[in-house]
Amino acid sequence: RFDGAKPSRGDTLFLESSGVFSTVAPTAQGNGGTVEITAAGLEVLNGAQLVTTVLGEGDGGDLILTIRDTARFEGTRSDGLTSVASSGIQPGGRGDGGRLEVTATNLEVLGGAQLFSTTFGEGDAGDITLRIFDTARFDGSFQDNPSTVATSIAANAQGNSGNLGISATTLQVLDGAQINARSLGIGDAGNITLDIMETARFDGRREDSLSASGIETNTNEAATGNGGELRLSAN
C-alpha cells in the first residue's frame, strides 16, 4: 500500500510522493531499470506514485504490476497531485518509454487517478496493457482531471504514442472517465484495443463539464501525424 505525499518544497523531482521510482537522471546515459510489484492486493492512494521516467538519454524501465486480487488507484492530495502509475520521457529526455502492464482480478481507477505513458521529449511512449480477469472500472474525476488510462505525445514532443490494450470480463467507464491515445506533437497516436468478454459500459460525464465518459484516439489540430485505430469487441 502506497498512501499519501508530502507537500512539495518546489525543489524535488517527484514532489516527495510516496511510491516507487526508476529514473534516468538529467545528463545521464543508459536505460532505466524495471519496476515489478507482485502482491495479493495493491492500493495507490492520495497522490502516491509508481513511476519510470527518462530525463537524460536512454530507454525508460518497464512498470509491471501483477496483483492477485484488486489493484486500486484513488485520490488526490491537497495540491492536486493525483495517484498514478506512469511511464514517461520528460522534457529534454531522449529515448523510448517503458511498458506499463497491469495484471489483476479487478482494476479500479477512481477520483482522478491515472495510468499513463507520455513523451514530453523525443521518443516513443510505451505501450499500456491491462489484463483484468473480472472488472476494469474507471470512475469519476477530481476537478478537471478525469480518471484516465492514456498514452500520449505532448505538444512540442516528437515520437509515437504507445498502443493501449484492455482485456476484461467487464469494462466500466463512468462519470467522465476517459480511455485515450493522443498526439499533440509530432507523431502518430496509438491504437486502442478493447477485448471485453461480457459488458462494456460507458455512462455519464464530469460534473459541470461537457466532457463525457468515452474512448478516443486522435491527433490534435496542431499535431503532425495519424490517428490510431479503435477496436472494441464485447458481448
Side-chain angles (χ1 to χ4, degrees):
R1 182 183 187 199
F2 303 91
D3 191 351
K6 298 178 183 177
S8 173
R9 298 193 308 265
D11 59 354
T12 55
L13 177 58
F14 294 111
L15 307 180
E16 297 186 330
S17 296
S18 302
V20 178
F21 307 96
S22 172
T23 308
V24 178
T27 73
Q29 292 184 340
N31 298 326
T34 296
V35 173
E36 293 190 53
I37 297 176
T38 302
L42 173 67
E43 294 181 321
V44 181
L45 309 173
N46 301 317
Q49 299 191 325
L50 309 178
V51 174
T52 68
T53 193
V54 173
L55 293 97
E57 187 171 343
D59 294 339
D62 297 333
L63 176 57
I64 300 173
L65 310 178
T66 305
I67 310 303
R68 189 172 70 233
D69 295 322
T70 298
R72 177 178 165 222
F73 298 81
E74 183 175 14
T76 304
R77 75 180 187 187
S78 59
D79 64 357
L81 187 69
T82 60
S83 301
V84 302
S86 71
S87 163
I89 307 298
Q90 298 302 314
R94 297 180 62 187
D96 293 333
R99 295 173 295 135
L100 170 56
E101 296 185 2
V102 181
T103 302
T105 299
N106 295 292
L107 172 65
E108 298 179 344
V109 182
L110 311 173
Q114 298 181 352
L115 311 180
F116 66 88
S117 66
T118 304
T119 293
F120 293 95
E122 186 177 335
D124 295 341
D127 293 339
I128 297 179
T129 304
L130 308 180
R131 301 181 185 92
I132 310 303
F133 299 116
D134 195 345
T135 299
R137 176 183 167 210
F138 302 87
D139 193 347
S141 61
F142 178 81
Q143 296 178 351
D144 291 332
N145 297 316
S147 301
T148 303
V149 55
T151 70
S152 65
I153 302 298
N156 302 316
Q158 183 172 347
N160 295 318
S161 173
N163 295 317
L164 196 164
I166 302 176
S167 60
T169 300
T170 300
L171 173 66
Q172 299 179 352
V173 184
L174 310 173
D175 294 333
Q178 293 281 319
I179 298 171
N180 60 60
R182 295 176 174 170
S183 175
L184 288 79
I186 301 173
D188 296 339
N191 299 323
I192 297 178
T193 303
L194 307 179
D195 185 6
I196 311 304
M197 291 181 62
E198 294 183 2
T199 299
R201 178 182 174 211
F202 301 86
D203 190 6
R205 62 183 65 242
R206 291 188 310 210
E207 264 185 56
D208 303 320
S209 171
L210 297 177
S211 179
S213 305
I215 321 170
E216 61 179 342
T217 172
N218 63 38
T219 55
N220 183 274
E221 62 182 7
T224 302
N226 299 312
E229 295 182 351
L230 171 58
R231 305 183 185 98
L232 168 62
S233 62
N235 191 37

